[in-house]
Amino acid sequence: MRLLIGGFGISGTPLTVLDAIAKFEAGSYEVVSNNLGDYGKGLHKVFEAGKIRKAVGSFFTINKEAVNAWSVGELEIELIPQGTLAEAIRCGGAGIGGFYTPTAVGTRLAEGKEVREIDGVRYLFEKMIKGDIALIKASKADKAGNLVYHTTARNFNPIMATAAEIVIAEVDEIVEVGELSPEEIVTPHIFVDYVVKSKYTKKGGEYIEVN
């Protein structure tokens, strides 16, 4: 099963849902995320629970345990430049099979991939990315599932909501239908299957579990 996990560092990460996955008895997942959690939170907990088989993303070095696991063959890692990762997920949600980018041409990341010259510039073909389940984080949802994001949390979350069969949104606040302005809604409810109230709040730059 492939999971798309929102977040940039810890910002915009569905910590409550990931805590539940870390505690769940079963699990051997391929995860697509910018990074693998941070300081014992988020995907770091899922990794420590032994539930990640493969990680697809851009920034894994903050998780030293994951790097060590990769170095001894216990974890498969597919490294994708950050902008390429975002565009691949966007294409998955838009029904586009892939795209050409000059990023990573001539590097080890291009090995085994198609390279085409267009107007004198070499481009690398990157396939779209879709998931079975997307776990995303928003600041607010109404009871229909319309989502509003807060600043940096509007990173991978909105595009991941379009690129998975099932979407679970963790939110800080749930309001009645009609309380959100149509102008502030980024992800329409048609993309969202489940809404979960977060158990975390941010205090002094740290995410603290409060209930």
Side-chain angles (χ1 to χ4, degrees), residues 4-179:
L4 309 183
I5 315 290
F8 187 88
I10 293 296
S11 179
T13 298
L15 299 176
T16 302
V17 177
L18 291 175
D19 284 355
I21 289 177
K23 294 175 183 177
F24 192 62
E25 184 175 346
S28 177
Y29 304 111
E30 175 181 335
V31 299
V32 178
S33 186
N34 180 65
N35 54 284
L36 283 178
D38 191 9
Y39 307 118
K41 289 185 172 63
L43 275 172
H44 194 183
K45 284 187 178 180
V46 181
F47 167 75
E48 289 181 322
K51 300 184 183 301
I52 298 178
R53 172 182 55 82
K54 178 180 179 180
V56 179
S58 302
F59 188 64
F60 299 128
T61 52
I62 196 169
N63 189 327
K64 295 180 181 179
E65 294 89 345
V67 174
N68 291 336
W70 167 79
S71 68
V72 297
E74 295 176 355
L75 174 67
E76 185 179 352
I77 285 180
E78 182 178 345
L79 188 64
I80 301 179
Q82 201 168 72
T84 301
L85 178 65
E87 180 63 9
I89 296 168
R90 190 197 69 81
C91 285
I96 299 170
F99 61 101
Y100 289 94
T101 174
T103 304
V105 170
T107 73
R108 290 179 61 186
L109 299 184
E111 293 178 1
K113 297 180 179 180
E114 176 194 351
V115 176
R116 176 178 294 186
E117 185 172 311
I118 303 174
D119 293 336
V121 179
R122 296 171 70 212
Y123 292 87
L124 182 69
F125 180 76
E126 292 285 355
K127 185 181 175 182
M128 60 81 177
I129 291 176
K130 297 186 72 174
D132 298 296
I133 299 176
L135 309 177
I136 64 174
K137 173 67 169 59
S139 61
K140 289 183 183 180
D142 64 19
K143 290 184 177 180
N146 295 299
L147 303 182
V148 174
Y149 300 94
H150 178 66
T151 59
T152 311
R154 187 173 170 176
N155 41 47
F156 291 99
N157 287 300
I159 55 173
M160 286 182 171
T162 69
E165 296 298 320
I166 297 174
V167 176
I168 302 172
E170 179 176 328
V171 300
D172 298 321
E173 184 181 359
I174 301 174
V175 301
E176 296 294 332
V177 174
E179 289 189 38

